[in-house]
Amino acid sequence: MSRIAATFAALRRDGRCALIPYLTAGDPDPDATVPLMQAAVAAGADLIEVGVPFSDPMADGPVIQAACERALAHGVTLRRVLEMVARFRETDARTPVVLMGYLNPVEVMGYARFAAAAGAAGVDGVLTVDLPPEESGDLERALAAHGLDPIFLVAPTSSRARVERICAVARGFVYYVSLKGVTGAAHLDVEGVAERLRAIRAVTGLPIGVGFGIGDAPAAARIASIADAVVVGSALVRRIGAHAGDREGAVREVSDLLGQMRRAMDAARGAAAAAGA
Amino acid sequence: MSMQAKTDESALEPLPDAVGHFGPFGGRFVAETLMEPLEALRAAYEEARADPQFRTAFDRDLAHYVGRPSPLYFARRWSEAVGGARIYLKREDLNHTGAHKINNTVGQALLARRMGKTRVIAETGAGQHGVATATVAARFGMDCVVYMGAEDIRRQSINVYRMRLLGAEVVEVRSGSRTLKDAMNEALRDWVTHVDDTFYIIGTVAGPHPYPAMVRDFQAVIGREARAQILEQAGRLPDALVACVGGGSNAIGLFAPFLADRDVALYGVEAAGEGLDTGRHAAPLNRGRIGVLHGNRTYLMEDDDGGILPTHSISAGLDYPGVGPEHAWLKDSGRARYVAVTDAEALAAFHDLTRTEGILPALESSHALAYAARLAVELGRDAVLIVNLSGRGDKDIHTVAEREGIRV
């Protein structure tokens, strides 16, 4: 069983919802990433998404764009991101790590070389934002050869046929994009999300994470009662960006926000379980 | 013999294939939210192009609004000054709004209206596509937002004002390199957010499927006219076609109807900027590598880690790190050749044409002119060339003056 599958199986057994923080690797500086990942785990993260900075992050809002620019200014490349994951693995053998980014850096490294390097570094899954299943066959095969899960997005615009197609190739979990927009947007419609999740569950038994637009503990709690995982990105990255040059401050902010979300999510699941019983 | 016939036949298979591939290039590389809207766009476009009413409406607008057909003009004095082949200019500069861009925006605006969209968005570099989009939006009464890099806004302030006069909102893009590629990123972000009521009018033959094919089809009127005009005026097909290539829409528009004419050589001219060896250029087909950007696989200016590199050209319209996937395919298949011309060479051609013919060409088109002059000498006096004069140069006079130390 992959690290991602094992994590979701354990959470499901305990009746808990996964908390997945997203961090842009190398933001605000390259040495900050591993300590921030460790702090996130200590604050209750179950899986970590590590963003690979890219010059043209077309699906991201201004917060993550700025984080990419800060990381790139420090010369953070895909190879260096893999080194960071390897360093994180030296102290944490349990928490799954998913790389999230755009196709071009992977394309230039070469799929086989990338998959081998990512597997060796201790990466568990790869979410390539601009690689839909229509074009992903070669990369899926390369990832599979190294036991890596391809993670795919499902969107509010995805038809049932597309959801089926995506879920047929997805492994690990499915990432439902909660709104039409870029990362960090602010118009979350929990009822609408719940309806879509029911439709996705009719197609797949994979765990479903929800992200884009979940920025605080109350929103996380509402999503926790309907999803298998809550992804928080821009809200964290904004706090990290505000503490550039102040490592302790950044770690404290990450710990605070994730801690609040963790408690609110567990309370929501506890309340739901109590109401059910 | 039969082998030869077979090869030719397969070479004429219509491209792209059903999923937007031109050989290994093209495709649809976007976030999931845009996949269904792109499929809806493809279906709507296929339906429209098969509908005689849509074609009639498009042809009528090209004739009465754009002013087509544009002339094919034999540049006798310039040809003599160059001292080689007879050079004909396809006068896209005489179109409404002053460039070939309007052919495509008329087509896409008709499609947007047919799809019931009330808002159009566009990216622009030099501002020509932004102006052409704002123009059709005004005519159809649609809301219009144009994304433009902060650096380009500074270089092309006249076009910014033109767009605002036409009722468009021009949004300054301050991310990344603040040029055309960043404007395209921002337009894609807008589209993903307003996908229900918004039609994204891409200005070139790049982007995800079906844009490269759709924009080519709308621009192919250039080549269809030119082919008929040269047969009438010169009594034969030309030896070569020459067009500048940024994203590559004016070049594809000229080339497409000649692809089956194997004896007609095709030359795409990229921007060599300060020189191909300086790194300060915008010539992905000459010096780039294969990668994925803005929804398609193509040649790109990129670093060893897959980051997109900043580009340079004196002409804002060529200042783009990628190129349409069909050009990538035409290059690799050997059907077209891609060369490059420096800022200085383009500027010299700009002056030469202006002085000998009384035609002020856009700096983009001046790249094609500069290469055509070289080619005309190589091919000799019996040869016939067509150059796509894709736009007029009025928008560039400040750039030219500034470069030459003249205050206007």
Side-chain angles (χ1 to χ4, degrees), chain B residues 25-243:
Chain B
F25 303 105
R28 200 179 264 169
F29 295 87
V30 294
E32 174 59 25
T33 311
L34 290 178
M35 288 299 287
E36 205 76 58
L38 283 166
E39 189 50 29
L41 174 62
R42 185 201 61 76
Y45 173 59
E46 292 298 326
E47 199 187 278
R49 71 188 289 221
D51 178 351
Q53 280 188 330
F54 181 82
R55 289 206 302 262
T56 303
F58 181 51
D59 290 345
R60 195 173 48 224
D61 278 1
L62 289 182
H64 301 293
Y65 189 66
V66 176
R68 305 201 70 92
S70 67
L72 184 73
Y73 168 72
F74 174 37
R76 185 184 304 274
R77 272 188 27 96
W78 186 55
S79 299
E80 278 167 11
V82 166
R86 283 177 289 159
I87 306 174
Y88 291 78
L89 306 177
K90 181 59 175 161
R91 297 292 306 275
E92 294 299 301
D93 61 315
L94 294 177
N95 292 340
H96 180 41
T97 72
H100 72 291
K101 293 291 187 186
I102 189 90
N103 302 325
N104 169 50
T105 60
V106 163
Q108 291 198 50
L110 285 168
L111 187 58
R113 192 175 62 176
R114 188 181 165 100
M115 293 176 74
K117 306 290 184 181
T118 55
R119 177 176 180 268
V120 295
I121 59 171
E123 83 294 337
T124 198
Q128 290 304 99
H129 174 59
V131 167
T133 301
T135 297
V136 295
R139 176 162 176 256
F140 286 121
M142 293 169 171
D143 292 335
C144 179
V145 177
V146 178
Y147 292 93
M148 190 166 182
E151 178 61 19
D152 291 333
I153 283 184
R154 190 190 61 77
R155 290 195 278 193
Q156 301 286 347
S157 56
I158 301 277
N159 271 344
V160 174
Y161 186 54
R162 283 170 84 189
M163 288 184 268
R164 288 182 175 143
L165 286 174
L166 289 160
E169 180 190 348
V170 180
V171 177
E172 181 174 6
V173 177
R174 307 189 63 85
S175 58
S177 64
R178 306 176 169 197
T179 59
L180 178 54
K181 81 173 174 73
D182 309 284
M184 198 153 177
N185 292 336
E186 208 54 41
L188 283 164
R189 292 178 188 123
D190 178 309
W191 197 31
V192 86
T193 308
H194 302 103
V195 71
D196 293 329
D197 69 345
T198 296
F199 189 107
Y200 179 14
I201 300 186
I202 293 184
T204 191
V205 285
H209 180 58
Y211 282 100
M214 178 171 70
V215 176
R216 171 198 65 196
D217 295 350
F218 288 141
Q219 291 291 2
V221 65
I222 301 172
R224 280 198 304 275
E225 287 176 4
R227 197 172 182 284
Q229 289 165 323
I230 197 73
L231 287 172
E232 193 189 314
Q233 292 182 36
R236 67 176 181 91
L237 288 174
D239 296 281
L241 308 177
V242 184

Side-chain angles (χ1 to χ4, degrees), chain A residues 54-61 65 69 77-79 103-109 111 129-135 153-160 162-163 166 177 179-182 187 212, chain B residues 19 21 26-37 174-176 181-182 184-186 188-189 192-196 289-295 297 300 302-309:
Chain A
F54 182 52
S55 55
D56 294 81
M58 288 151 281
D60 284 299
Q65 288 172 45
E69 288 185 15
T77 61
L78 177 54
R79 278 174 291 183
L103 180 59
N104 203 47
V106 173
E107 180 108 347
V108 167
M109 185 180 280
Y111 293 170
V129 176
D130 54 348
L131 186 67
E134 283 82 348
E135 302 278 1
L153 301 174
V154 170
T157 52
S158 306
S159 65
R160 176 165 176 122
R162 285 201 60 77
V163 174
I166 292 164
V177 176
L179 48 83
K180 293 174 194 161
V182 292
H187 45 280
F212 282 45
Chain B
V19 288
H21 291 159
R28 200 179 264 169
F29 295 87
V30 294
E32 174 59 25
T33 311
L34 290 178
M35 288 299 287
E36 205 76 58
R174 307 189 63 85
S175 58
K181 81 173 174 73
D182 309 284
M184 198 153 177
N185 292 336
E186 208 54 41
L188 283 164
R189 292 178 188 123
V192 86
T193 308
H194 302 103
V195 71
D196 293 329
R289 294 193 302 194
I290 295 169
V292 171
L293 179 70
H294 292 153
R297 182 177 280 122
L300 297 175
E302 59 187 2
D303 62 28
D304 293 341
D305 298 295
I308 306 305
L309 288 170

Side-chain angles (χ1 to χ4, degrees), chain A residues 232-246:
Chain A
V232 53
S234 294
L236 271 183
V237 172
R238 183 182 299 114
R239 286 167 170 77
I240 293 168
H243 287 272
D246 168 20

Side-chain angles (χ1 to χ4, degrees), chain A residues 132-173:
Chain A
E134 283 82 348
E135 302 278 1
S136 66
D138 291 342
L139 182 58
E140 280 164 40
R141 280 183 285 279
L143 294 178
H146 294 276
L148 299 172
D149 289 331
I151 315 291
F152 286 93
L153 301 174
V154 170
T157 52
S158 306
S159 65
R160 176 165 176 122
R162 285 201 60 77
V163 174
E164 284 172 359
R165 178 168 198 165
I166 292 164
C167 292
V169 292
R171 300 281 179 276
F173 68 99

